[in-house]
Amino acid sequence: MAEVYYVGVDVGTASVRAALVTRDGLLKSTAEETISIWEPQPEHYVQSSTEIWEKCCTVVKKVTQGVERKQVRGVGFDATCSLVVLDQSFQPVSVNQGGDRQSNVVMWMDHRAAEQAVRITNAGHKVLSRVGGVMSPEMQPPKLLWLKENLKESCWNKAAHFFDLPDFLSWKATGCLTRSLCTLVCKWTYCPPEGWDASFWTSIGLEDLLENNFSKLGSVTCSPGSPLGDGLTQQAAADLGLDPGTAVGASLIDAHAGGLGVIGADVKGFNLPCEDRPITSRMAMICGTSTCHMAISEQPLFVPGVWGPCLSAMVPDLWLNEGGQSATGRLIDHMVKGHAAYTQLQEQAQQRSNIYNYLNSHLSLMADSCSAVDLLGSSLHVWPDFHGNRSPLADPTLKGMVIGLSLSQTLDDLALLYLATVQALALGTLHILEAMKEAGHDIRTLFLCGGLSKNSLFVQIHANATGLPVVLPDQMEAVLVGAAVLGACASQEIYITMHQICVIIFLIFSFYERKNKVFLRLFAHQREYQALMNQR
């Protein structure tokens, strides 16, 4: 019998990736393409939905090359929670003052609507209880309000469809306007089973969105992984190089796809504190450009400064709380590449796969045999909110700072700044954990995925700072696997629902210590690290 495959497509901040995944959840092939980011004004970050779709088609064709079309049974999409604007004819509408129609995506990290977010927060509507009490400029209501107030003629009056980027991709593939509950509940204030709260939109001055049963936002919803329409349209199938009618599952936000891909992993036999306990004792951290901290509960828990609770947004019938840091990988890159010794670092790291592997080794050499790498940063301190604080302070106006700099600009100084930045991010995770625990979460173990989870120092420091064991997936591309699972669900050929996803995850993930004993040292420096924190 010919192998059956599913395609997962992940649209991140700066790239589009795809994976061809087997029925058993193993990655057969992957591909990646970069996508453009424009910054026409400070705090304005925009992209093109046309370019994003074209890159999706490119990577899907690459991963399915050499595979018969009939072997691909399902496609799933995940993406950043960016805002896509189209007109009545489904053509792009510019979100810039300049009027470039191709610049029709307000990115998730775009903070142009900070003032609108403050006004929405101050209005105090009851829907704010499901976003930690504070409306973030990274959510869609303030972005929509900004467009109406600043681009009414050129954008707002022309717009007929507002999509979250994951829903745009599934619409582009199927022609189906049904929205995923994941996007609407987490970023648009939709609340099942009641649905849209008309009083909220009226109270913030967007009452025109109530027309035609909220048709511009989405009047029909479904759970992630539900089959959409009749599968791939003729045009989409031609674009992707697949058969028309191939099943497409309702989408997920990229972080939620990663959370789905790791939070149900089977870790029996490792004496972890989450063993033989429900998955509500776990937190999934999706670490890339930014970091999302995903925790679920059986009952709704309200955490100040943390998004949620959102019902069935990631795992069916369970409530999701989502903390986060707006800049993690982006911050580390910013700190390292902006240092005077960066050119020297590039020269020294030429023989290694990347500069961060070199920095990790360099820090190990800097630490003497009697102390931990952690202690090297005892005189250098970073406040990491260079792009505001998403959780738990929920203050997008905060800025970053560095304390303890000298006039020295050596490679050692760069390594220490890098270390201090990673430590600051780990302590930010600890701050989020403490807020969640205080609200009722019982989190015993961290499950990491994403680009930063491949950085051993980043993982080690998070274990040290939080005092919790860290689990990494054997299949490192957890987000892509999560997206492919959506296509598998939609195909209905393997008779699964999202309620049974954890069974699949048990088959495709294993505790990373099976392959790399270095993670057995996760608690080796707890005492020294705690002493350092006490000094601070």
Side-chain angles (χ1 to χ4, degrees):
M1 182 181 295
E3 179 67 88
V4 169
Y5 299 105
Y6 306 97
V7 173
V9 181
D10 164 51
V11 179
T13 300
S15 67
V16 176
R17 302 184 303 151
L20 188 66
V21 182
T22 69
R23 188 192 295 265
D24 294 326
L26 301 177
L27 272 67
K28 180 177 176 62
S29 60
T30 61
E32 183 172 4
E33 291 279 332
T34 59
I35 48 178
S36 304
I37 300 173
W38 297 286
E39 188 179 1
Q41 299 180 48
E43 301 295 335
H44 290 222
Y45 296 95
V46 299
Q47 291 180 313
S48 164
S49 66
T50 300
E51 181 193 31
I52 290 171
W53 177 252
E54 289 173 351
K55 294 301 178 69
C56 287
C57 297
T58 298
V59 292
V60 170
K61 286 179 179 177
K62 285 183 178 180
V63 298
T64 56
Q65 189 174 9
V67 174
E68 292 186 28
R69 292 185 175 190
K70 64 182 180 180
Q71 291 178 265
V72 179
R73 303 299 178 82
V75 182
F77 295 92
D78 74 73
T80 64
C81 48
S82 300
L83 175 65
V84 182
V85 185
L86 303 179
D87 65 16
Q88 190 66 45
S89 300
F90 295 97
Q91 296 303 305
V93 177
S94 174
V95 294
N96 286 338
Q97 299 283 0
D100 178 9
R101 289 183 59 186
Q102 293 307 308
S103 299
N104 70 313
V105 179
V106 183
M107 292 185 67
W108 66 269
M109 62 184 185
D110 186 304
H111 281 195
R112 70 178 71 180
E115 189 270 331
Q116 284 76 13
V118 170
R119 276 193 276 136
I120 294 172
T121 296
N122 291 339
H125 195 277
K126 62 182 180 180
V127 301
L128 295 177
S129 66
R130 299 193 294 274
V131 294
V134 179
M135 178 59 67
S136 168
E138 295 178 14
M139 290 190 170
Q140 309 302 9
K143 292 176 182 175
L144 292 168
L145 185 57
W146 188 95
L147 292 175
K148 181 176 181 179
E149 293 178 345
N150 293 273
L151 299 176
K152 188 169 185 179
E153 296 299 325
S154 62
C155 176
W156 187 259
N157 290 343
K158 296 179 180 179
H161 304 279
F162 296 108
F163 287 98
D164 217 273
L165 183 53
D167 287 323
F168 164 81
L169 295 173
S170 57
W171 164 77
K172 190 72 175 176
T174 66
C176 179
L177 290 170
T178 298
R179 307 301 211 270
S180 169
L181 281 174
C182 176
T183 57
L184 293 193
V185 172
C186 293
K187 308 301 177 185
W188 298 72
T189 74
Y190 188 89
C191 186
E194 295 87 359
W196 296 110
D197 189 324
S199 66
F200 166 70
W201 297 98
T202 300
S203 71
I204 66 172
L206 295 179
E207 61 280 351
D208 35 350
L209 293 177
L210 276 62
E211 296 176 1
N212 300 319
N213 191 28
F214 292 91
S215 62
K216 290 185 178 181
L217 306 185
S219 54
V220 180
T221 64
C222 68
S223 299
S226 301
L228 293 175
D230 296 320
L232 290 178
T233 63
Q234 291 282 347
Q235 182 60 57
D239 291 344
L240 295 165
L242 299 175
D243 280 342
T246 301
V248 177
S251 59
L252 282 168
I253 299 168
D254 55 348
H256 299 63
L260 178 65
V262 296
I263 203 166
D266 183 5
V267 293
K268 290 182 179 179
F270 292 96
N271 298 316
L272 290 169
C274 67
E275 189 171 335
D276 297 323
R277 299 185 63 85
I279 58 175
T280 53
S281 66
R282 308 175 178 198
M283 172 183 279
M285 285 180 55
I286 298 81
C287 319
T289 303
S290 63
T291 294
C292 295
H293 303 73
M294 321 289 277
I296 50 181
S297 58
E298 294 181 358
Q299 301 298 325
L301 297 176
F302 295 85
V303 187
V306 171
W307 297 341
C310 301
L311 181 61
S312 298
M314 186 172 75
V315 180
D317 301 325
L318 292 177
W319 296 85
L320 171 70
N321 282 114
E322 179 186 355
Q325 295 163 302
S326 295
T328 49
R330 185 178 177 87
L331 176 62
I332 294 172
D333 286 344
H334 175 78
M335 301 295 271
V336 170
K337 294 179 180 179
H339 195 276
Y342 178 61
T343 300
Q344 182 185 356
L345 170 64
Q346 288 180 300
E347 294 172 353
Q348 294 291 327
Q350 284 182 352
Q351 303 302 317
R352 294 182 176 271
S353 57
N354 65 63
I355 59 174
Y356 296 111
N357 287 341
Y358 180 86
L359 284 172
N360 293 348
S361 297
H362 190 79
L363 286 166
S364 296
L365 293 174
M366 290 174 65
D368 61 52
S369 60
C370 298
S371 65
V373 167
D374 308 65
L375 301 180
L376 292 172
S378 58
S379 61
L380 188 61
H381 311 277
V382 174
W383 184 265
D385 296 327
F386 284 54
H387 198 54
N389 182 285
R390 186 188 298 171
S391 305
L393 302 179
D395 186 349
T397 67
L398 284 179
K399 304 300 180 184
M401 62 180 175
V402 183
I403 299 174
L405 292 174
S406 71
L407 292 175
S408 178
Q409 295 181 330
T410 67
L411 186 56
D412 283 359
D413 296 310
L414 170 53
L416 292 176
L417 181 61
Y418 161 65
L419 172 63
T421 302
V422 173
Q423 289 177 326
L425 293 170
L427 292 171
T429 290
L430 177 61
H431 196 187
I432 293 168
L433 273 169
E434 290 173 339
M436 287 189 169
K437 288 181 179 180
E438 187 174 346
H441 281 283
D442 180 25
I443 297 167
R444 308 291 185 91
T445 310
L446 302 180
F447 289 71
L448 269 61
C449 67
L452 281 177
S453 70
K454 301 172 186 177
N455 183 325
S456 60
L457 181 75
F458 182 87
V459 175
Q460 181 73 65
I461 295 296
H462 271 75
N464 291 354
T466 63
L468 297 178
V470 174
V471 176
L472 299 181
D474 181 54
Q475 296 288 305
M476 294 299 287
E477 301 296 349
V479 177
L480 285 169
V481 173
V485 165
L486 300 173
C489 287
S491 74
Q492 300 181 327
E493 290 190 359
I494 53 178
Y495 308 108
I496 61 172
T497 69
M498 291 293 283
H499 291 270
Q500 298 166 305
I501 286 302
C502 287
V503 175
I504 298 174
I505 296 170
F506 288 162
L507 295 175
I508 61 181
F509 286 107
S510 64
F511 190 37
Y512 193 73
E513 285 183 350
R514 292 175 182 172
K515 282 198 169 184
N516 192 342
K517 292 184 179 179
V518 69
F519 285 91
L520 295 174
R521 298 186 291 107
L522 285 176
F523 291 103
H525 304 311
Q526 280 297 305
R527 186 174 300 171
E528 290 178 277
Y529 195 81
Q530 190 58 53
L532 171 63
M533 292 302 101
N534 291 338
Q535 291 174 20
R536 292 189 173 187

